Amino acid sequence: MTAPSAGDPRPLLSSPANRRRLAAGAALLVLLALLAARPALAARPAPAARPGPGFAVGISPGAAPLSDPPAAVAQMMSGMAGAGDRWVRLDVPWAVIEPRPGVFAWPAEDRAVGDALAQGLTVDALFGSAPMWAMTAGQPDPAKFAAFVSTVVRRYAGRGVNTYEMWNEENLISYWDAPVDPATYGRLLRAGYRAVHRSDRHGFVVLGGLGRTSGTLPGVAVDPVAFLGALYRAGFGRYFDAAAVHPYSYPDSPTSPAAGNALNSLAAIHSLMAAHGDGAKRIWVTEYGYPTGLQVVNGTAPPTSPADQATYLGAAIERVRAEPWAGPFFVFSWRDDQWQSYGLLRADGTPKPALAVFERAPH
């Protein structure tokens, strides 16, 4: 018999195993040809942004719920609910709750959260104030922050707390305690966002409320629009479900064109968000108000009269309410104290005219 040539297929076909392999290979080639002939599949769209709650007027009472006596805290929550309130912004001060690694002090926070929930209030839990042991090079350590956030979320999510605000006025050195840097905050935001969504399937993360500035002074204060723009450029825009701003107008009216009226910047902030694909996300106003006497800031400006406080507050509420992207609007604050006079109540508990404006607002 003549030896087969190198191109002779008979030796390959003589084995049943080889015949099966060749058949499978031919089928694979046909499948690949069919797939190549099909039009390319469209890329799967990114998950739609969660717009979250719509416009509603709530209260940001400051530190009082964690520092006042228990009876006063219960009375505060009852009074806010009685005025129609359905939202309250409560501090969750890391340095106070976890003063040493793994050592927690819950009583004041548990009491404030419990009293709020008992009155039917929805809590915006505001993280902030890092303890010294959790600082690295003068900045809050993201991994340690994530661990704290996870602990808080596991403690309160089952009780109905699902909204978490990541820091307060992180664009100002007065609340950041180190040179202001959007990328440094972005890493903290990302850590907190991931911790929330790992621990609470209903979790909703709000960007820390950006504070009003008169411009940018590197390391000290960054304009809110510039700060948010830097977060987007660094890739941190995906790590919040809503933006938050503190667009104080004091001492100007809410409709004033004055540069100090930060309400005028909200449209630019939303335009920036829309340009980065976040037009469906809402902007929350997590602090807004007018002092009628003692002031925390702007000490050289005259206080607002109680009558003007009421008028201006009503005008600001209506201005923000008209925007389709408006989320909850928190009035600062509930009651005057030794530090500030932005309250709807005087220090003795008597109401100012602004309380009636709050009662009529949508909640």
Side-chain angles (χ1 to χ4, degrees):
M1 180 179 294
T2 306
S5 68
D8 192 335
R10 285 175 295 175
L12 293 174
L13 296 175
S14 63
S15 164
N18 283 341
R19 286 198 295 271
R20 287 194 296 271
R21 293 190 189 100
L22 287 170
L28 177 61
L29 289 172
V30 171
L31 178 60
L32 290 174
L34 290 172
L35 289 175
R38 294 177 61 188
L41 294 175
R44 180 177 294 178
R50 299 169 58 195
F55 184 84
V57 181
I59 295 288
S60 179
L66 301 184
S67 59
D68 284 0
V73 176
Q75 184 181 36
M76 176 190 302
M77 299 301 172
S78 174
M80 290 190 294
D85 188 24
R86 292 297 175 267
W87 276 94
V88 62
R89 182 176 182 245
L90 292 181
D91 287 357
V92 185
W94 185 10
V96 174
I97 294 175
E98 192 181 11
R100 297 190 304 280
V103 177
F104 296 94
W106 295 110
E109 194 72 41
D110 281 352
R111 184 166 53 247
V113 170
D115 287 346
L117 297 177
Q119 293 295 333
L121 302 178
T122 299
V123 173
D124 170 23
L126 169 63
F127 289 106
S129 181
M132 291 302 298
W133 63 263
M135 305 287 274
T136 300
Q139 304 283 5
D141 182 273
K144 293 171 182 174
F145 179 61
F148 175 71
V149 170
S150 295
T151 299
V152 172
V153 173
R154 286 194 299 267
R155 189 174 187 85
Y156 294 125
R159 306 184 200 183
V161 178
N162 306 109
T163 302
Y164 310 92
E165 188 173 347
M166 295 295 160
W167 225 258
N168 184 70
E169 299 188 355
E170 60 276 1
N171 62 317
L172 305 179
I173 196 169
S174 54
Y175 287 98
W176 191 243
D177 298 326
V180 173
D181 176 49
T184 300
Y185 169 72
R187 289 188 285 272
L188 195 79
L189 172 67
R190 178 175 60 196
Y193 179 92
R194 289 173 171 172
V196 166
H197 286 285
R198 278 195 302 265
S199 303
D200 182 2
R201 64 189 181 92
H202 300 296
F204 191 86
V205 174
V206 183
L207 182 79
L210 297 170
R212 177 175 73 168
T213 71
S214 57
T216 292
L217 182 60
V220 176
V222 179
D223 174 81
V225 180
F227 192 93
L228 183 57
L231 287 178
Y232 275 117
R233 289 192 299 275
F236 296 113
R238 71 188 69 180
Y239 299 114
F240 59 88
D241 300 310
V245 189
H246 298 167
Y248 285 100
S249 308
Y250 169 79
D252 301 303
S253 79
T255 56
S256 169
N261 179 6
L263 279 174
N264 296 331
S265 69
L266 295 184
I269 290 172
H270 185 260
S271 294
L272 175 66
M273 293 167 64
H276 286 85
D278 277 351
K281 292 181 181 179
R282 297 187 185 275
I283 297 176
W284 294 34
V285 172
T286 50
E287 282 185 27
Y288 187 88
Y290 286 86
T292 57
L294 179 69
Q295 303 146 60
V296 177
V297 293
N298 296 320
T300 59
T304 306
S305 71
D308 282 346
Q309 181 197 36
T311 300
Y312 291 167
L313 182 60
I317 288 171
E318 290 307 311
R319 180 174 178 181
V320 176
R321 181 186 186 186
E323 300 293 350
W325 39 255
F329 180 112
F330 291 78
V331 176
F332 181 80
S333 64
W334 175 244
R335 184 171 177 167
D336 294 351
D337 57 34
Q338 59 179 326
W339 307 110
Q340 53 83 29
S341 62
Y342 287 75
L344 300 177
L345 306 179
R346 299 179 181 87
D348 63 4
T350 57
K352 301 178 189 176
L355 178 63
V357 173
F358 178 83
E359 291 173 334
R360 294 193 299 268
H363 301 291

